[in-house]
Amino acid sequence: MPAHPVDARVRRSRTALETALRELVAERDLAQLSVSDITKRAGVTRSTFYEHYSDVHDLAAAACTSMFDGLVAATPAAGRDLPRDGRSPDSPLPKLFAHVAEHAALYRAVIGRDGSARVINHLLQRIAIAVHVSRGPAEAVPPTHADDPAAIPHDPAAAFVAGALLGIVLDWLHHGCPGTPEQLGATVWPQLLAGTAAAGVPGGLDPDRRTGTAPTPVV
């Protein structure tokens, strides 16, 4: 059964490279890292690196996949989590900001001031896809295509929410994550709802897009 040893080697190589990337960005800026730096730390050859990743940015996105999974999972975009009247006594945002705070150093390294624009775009796209999928009928996008940008139609509301959330995260990281996730969540949640309504995007954050009714702004 030759496939299993090969798969194991691939996993070991990828794990070594991704671990090396995470270790190195704790020591210096992502922009300062070279493929040679990473392969030396990982104990693999350059040819092995290029078997799995196109460049350092590609590796950075892969190395943070599990962390990004946590952020996407905490995205408060699912229609079932959003009230029709735009008011929520329990904002879902603290969970998202708590996740960011827990991994603040790595987030700053890969999407902060000295991070990677390509990784930022990768994360923005993932959030937008998650928002789109959660806003629509479950059968609209097959689960096997839920992370495939080509399978997701143009969705301005999803792009709006993803951009707003990621922008808030970047600003919070830039300022050293002041306050608590609960405080930031309480401040941002009504603004996010009101901003989506003011943008006039069909469906907005309405739990049922088919009604075309945007949530009532909170004032």
Side-chain angles (χ1 to χ4, degrees), residues 1-60:
M1 307 287 285
H4 295 294
V6 171
D7 290 344
R9 286 197 297 272
V10 168
R11 286 195 298 273
R12 284 196 298 270
S13 295
R14 292 180 70 96
T15 297
L17 287 164
E18 292 173 11
T19 299
L21 184 283
R22 288 191 294 269
E23 291 176 352
L24 287 167
V25 294
E27 301 170 6
R28 65 187 109 150
D29 294 340
L30 181 65
Q32 297 178 337
L33 298 183
S34 67
V35 171
S36 295
D37 293 328
I38 295 166
T39 54
K40 182 178 180 180
R41 176 67 64 93
V44 302
T45 64
R46 287 176 63 88
S47 61
T48 297
F49 178 96
Y50 288 112
E51 286 175 8
H52 305 290
Y53 308 102
S54 59
D55 55 25
V56 173
H57 302 277
D58 187 27
L59 170 60

Side-chain angles (χ1 to χ4, degrees), residues 93-105:
L93 287 175
K95 180 181 177 181
L96 182 149
F97 296 129
H99 163 84
V100 173
E102 181 182 356
H103 304 281

